[in-house]
Amino acid sequence: MTDDAARVGMSRFSKALEQAERDLAQGEPALAQGEALAQGEPAPSTSARPPAFPAPTPQRTTRAFLEPRRPAADRREEHLVSLLAPHSDAAERYRMLRHVVESLRKNKNLQVLAVTSPGAADGKTTTSINLAGALAQSTAERVLLADVDLRRPSVARQLALDGSRRSLVNALVKPGLALEDIVEQLPEFNLSVLQAGEATDTTYELLKSSRLNELVDEARRHYDYIVLDTPPFVPVPDGRLITKSADGVLVVVAANRTPRGALAEAVSLIDPAKIVGFVFNGDDSPANESYYGGYVKSAAQPRWRRLWRSS
């Protein structure tokens, strides 16, 4: 290429570059490098800035990607001793409670037991699961654990259930669902579980309907014991509706935590004829030392200690 041809080429490129800058300033698309080369001109060696590309969208790395999901059995909460450590000293305490319930079944025909507490975090769900697990240790008994706390259900979480089954809420909304359609079997524990389902704004209306009583009556025909994990009695009115379908009510109290006023209010709201007793959760009094304490020093201590039956 002659010097004149080179000057002409560079002149054309300079004009194209100036036009591109004007177009860019006016919001017009700039001349692409490929368009300049289409005229057979050599690619210039310039100091033009490199093309800008949009930053890539960051990919969120989840915990599930970083480590494999643990089996459900590994995700069950460790304080469920009746299921996970049935030979422990703590599980023995729940068998004491089981004996009381079995006696009430024999003497007072108690079949449906509601477990409640004055307020939240008193340990009612843990007591419900461990009691149901203790009852289910007898292979001759059919036991149903039902989560009827529709506002803050926690049975499925503690048992590491995936929530894929239909639930109590489904059955309350759709009367065509039978109990067998919504109950999940845990054959390794001889236990049946009914999950509460997703919380709803119409909880009170659902529990007030006759459908709940119909489901409880159906459960009576299929199970020897039905344990209902019931909402706290004082903050919400749900428990007052649920206990109408129960034969007895067990009140869980957190020792040194539950206010006396809250306990008194809860007792005043429950039908006194249905109160079968109180479980004191976390009672560390010396009178409750393990019978086997001198022999099994490593035994885990139960979270509840004493059952007082009503007269």
Side-chain angles (χ1 to χ4, degrees), residues 14-188:
S14 299
K15 291 180 179 179
L17 200 57
E18 291 172 358
Q19 182 63 41
E21 291 176 351
R22 287 195 297 271
D23 292 342
L24 201 58
Q26 297 172 4
E28 297 294 334
L31 181 65
Q33 184 181 6
E35 295 181 44
L37 296 178
Q39 301 178 13
E41 298 168 352
S45 175
T46 69
S47 60
R49 69 177 63 181
F53 297 95
T57 304
Q59 298 295 322
R60 184 178 180 180
T61 303
T62 62
R63 186 177 182 82
F65 178 78
L66 294 176
E67 58 184 38
R69 183 177 178 83
R70 292 184 298 163
D74 295 340
R75 290 181 279 115
R76 294 182 179 123
E77 300 196 3
E78 61 182 10
H79 52 259
L80 304 182
V81 291
S82 291
L83 304 179
L84 304 181
H87 302 296
S88 66
D89 183 44
E92 200 66 47
R93 299 286 181 173
Y94 286 104
R95 275 190 286 274
M96 293 168 60
L97 178 58
R98 164 190 165 182
H99 173 72
V100 172
V101 174
E102 288 175 335
S103 299
L104 291 171
R105 175 80 166 104
K106 180 179 179 180
N107 300 326
K108 296 188 177 181
N109 199 31
L110 182 144
Q111 186 180 6
V112 181
L113 179 65
V115 181
T116 189
S117 61
D122 285 335
K124 67 175 182 61
T125 300
T126 298
T127 300
S128 297
I129 298 175
N130 278 308
L131 172 57
L135 290 166
Q137 287 170 4
S138 171
T139 57
E141 307 292 357
R142 297 164 300 173
V143 181
L144 173 65
L145 169 65
D147 191 347
V148 288
D149 189 345
L150 303 187
R151 298 178 191 265
R152 298 182 63 182
S154 56
V155 168
R157 173 181 56 79
Q158 292 200 31
L159 289 175
L161 303 179
D162 59 12
S164 61
R165 295 281 301 187
R166 289 170 174 168
S167 64
L168 175 60
V169 170
N170 297 138
L172 292 174
V173 174
K174 300 177 181 179
L177 288 176
L179 192 64
E180 63 182 1
D181 297 325
I182 57 177
V183 168
E184 183 169 355
Q185 307 296 331
L186 301 182
E188 67 270 38

Side-chain angles (χ1 to χ4, degrees), residues 15 85 94 140 154 164 171 208 211 213 245-246 256 291:
K15 291 180 179 179
Y94 286 104
S154 56
S164 61
K208 187 179 179 181
R211 178 61 177 153
N213 198 56
S245 301
N256 304 316
Y291 178 78

